[in-house]
Amino acid sequence: MEFYKDDPYENSTLYGSTNFVSNNNTYTQTMLPGYQTSMLQNPFYLSDQTLESAFSCLNLSPEKFPATPFAPVSGEQLRRQNPSSGFNDGVSLQSLRFQEGQMGSGVGPRNLVLGPQGFCVNTAPVVSPGLFGDRNLAGGSHQLDFLMSKKQSVPHYVDVGGVDDWLPQVRSSLSLNDVWGSIVNLAKDQHFSKILQKKFLDPSPQQVEMILSEIIDSIDDLMKNQFGNNFVKKLIGSCNEDQRTMIILSVTKSVFQFISVCCNPHGTRGIQTLMEHVSSPHQVSLLVAAISPSAAILARDTNGHHVIQHCLNHFSNEYNLYILNNIASNCFEVATNKTGCCVMQLCVEKSLGRPRQVLVSEIIATAVHLAEHPFGNYVLQHLLGLKESDVTGGIVRQLQGSFVSISCNKYGSNVVEKCLIEASGEQCTRIITEFVRSPNASMMLLDPFGNFVIQSALSVTKGYARNILLQLVRAKVPVMRSNLYGRKILTWLEKRKLA
């Protein structure tokens, strides 16, 4: 294979050309003017030498060229190695992106060219038009297209040695007008989100309107983002009443999407911030209309229940009526949920009038099942703790006939003890009478949980009710002495000299 070059002055064009002959075929390669000059100046080039001999003349030893072409090379290193090479004496935007972690690890600038000093790294950039090009400035990785000149399409060459120093300054120097068109993506970035929030310390009405018009269709997506929700909360605080109404309409346009925002760990905070800034009955109506059909679903969600609690604490009973009706219709499902039982207790506290009566009636109707449930029993205990005689009487009547079995349940025993403490004397007597007359009365005396109910009953009752209960205990003393839990009752009686 032979290698030769025609006279450059006879066959030159605007860029120059190089002819290669191999196996009787001629190939022409177009070259840039700078590269043509570099070939003429290359001391290793001889017009009549073979390809093998040309490469054998090259000295690629580590001592002469310590920087390998496939490792990250800084602008300072290239300048020290090739002080008069005529090649780029800085690092291009492509290399700068490599320093930002966009090109992967272990990969440096790609192109190698044969220059006057031997092989060198070609760091020619990929030109990107305009200041922001396609406005894709962020979105997880930190692209640096904003370093492009506004009036030129040629990137600024920078030395990456101090990238950690000047990059935050460049970011913070951006104005809201500069990032127009890319705010949705920038707000999702950890660093740019903080910068955008700082711009909203004292924004003008025009700036708020500009930002809102761009993100209004994506505001529900921003609310669910880890960093975007902080920006949205800052924006909500800077909006006027009409702009907040626009945000509410956008968020609630789809009930399914609104519920997904409320159930998101970040989105629920954005919705609560929006609810804190409502300033008109119309805005409250829009929010309640979106919440009430799915109130029971939100009440049972780890994040969504905060939205229901906010409504109950800050909105009037007039608006909460629809929320309470939905929760009452799904009373058992809500009351037996870990977060739902807390919402149910708050509903009882905050409701008034007819909605409250409906809710309490639904709870009492399922009292037997709620009493033995790990979460439902707290709802019954809360009702009993209100010290309302009609509510307590209703629960006692509903549990009548099941007191013995409930007393031997881990969760139900707490409910029965609460009934004995809060019920009237007559109601306590009915409960004790059911204990004594039950064929399973002795089971309570030996039960891990029932024995605590007996001790509470002996503490709160007097007269006839206590006497009949003491008679039951004394009749079972021999059996109780051989049982761990029976001995607890006997010890309790001995301390009070009732044995």
Side-chain angles (χ1 to χ4, degrees), residues 92-94 97 124-130 133 145 148 152-155 157:
S92 68
L93 185 62
Q94 181 181 3
R97 284 199 177 114
V126 178
V127 178
S128 184
D145 289 348
M148 304 290 288
Q152 303 177 6
S153 60
V154 180
Y157 286 90

Side-chain angles (χ1 to χ4, degrees), residues 104-105 188 234 336:
S105 59
K188 296 179 181 179
K234 197 73 174 180
T336 53

Side-chain angles (χ1 to χ4, degrees), residues 93 96 131 144-149 154-156 158 166-167 170:
L93 185 62
L96 186 58
L131 173 63
L144 301 177
D145 289 348
F146 58 80
L147 295 179
M148 304 290 288
S149 170
V154 180
H156 301 291
V158 242
W166 56 258
L167 187 56
V170 173

Side-chain angles (χ1 to χ4, degrees), residues 10-54:
E10 293 180 359
N11 300 311
S12 63
T13 59
L14 177 62
Y15 295 100
S17 63
T18 303
N19 296 332
F20 298 89
V21 175
S22 176
N23 300 329
N24 298 324
N25 294 323
T26 302
Y27 302 91
T28 302
Q29 179 182 11
T30 301
M31 303 185 67
L32 296 175
Y35 296 153
Q36 182 182 10
T37 305
S38 299
M39 292 187 67
L40 291 175
Q41 296 175 355
N42 188 352
F44 301 113
Y45 168 72
L46 295 174
S47 61
D48 57 346
Q49 68 180 157
T50 63
L51 181 62
E52 290 79 2
S53 60

Side-chain angles (χ1 to χ4, degrees), residues 8 65 97 99 117 130 156 161 206 209 216 257 263 287 300 313 320-321 330 356 360 391 415 429 433 491-492:
F65 303 101
R97 284 199 177 114
Q99 295 290 342
Q117 305 294 331
H156 301 291
Q206 293 78 13
E209 186 66 31
I216 190 66
Q257 183 63 25
C263 295
L287 287 171
R300 290 177 287 170
N313 286 321
N320 290 333
L321 169 65
N330 301 273
R356 187 177 189 273
V360 171
V391 174
V415 175
T429 301
T433 302
T491 302
W492 186 91

Side-chain angles (χ1 to χ4, degrees), residues 88-121:
N88 295 332
D89 57 351
V91 178
S92 68
L93 185 62
Q94 181 181 3
S95 302
L96 186 58
R97 284 199 177 114
F98 164 74
Q99 295 290 342
E100 283 289 295
Q102 293 189 25
M103 297 178 63
S105 59
V107 180
R110 300 287 207 281
N111 302 325
L112 297 178
V113 296
L114 185 62
Q117 305 294 331
F119 279 108
C120 184
V121 178

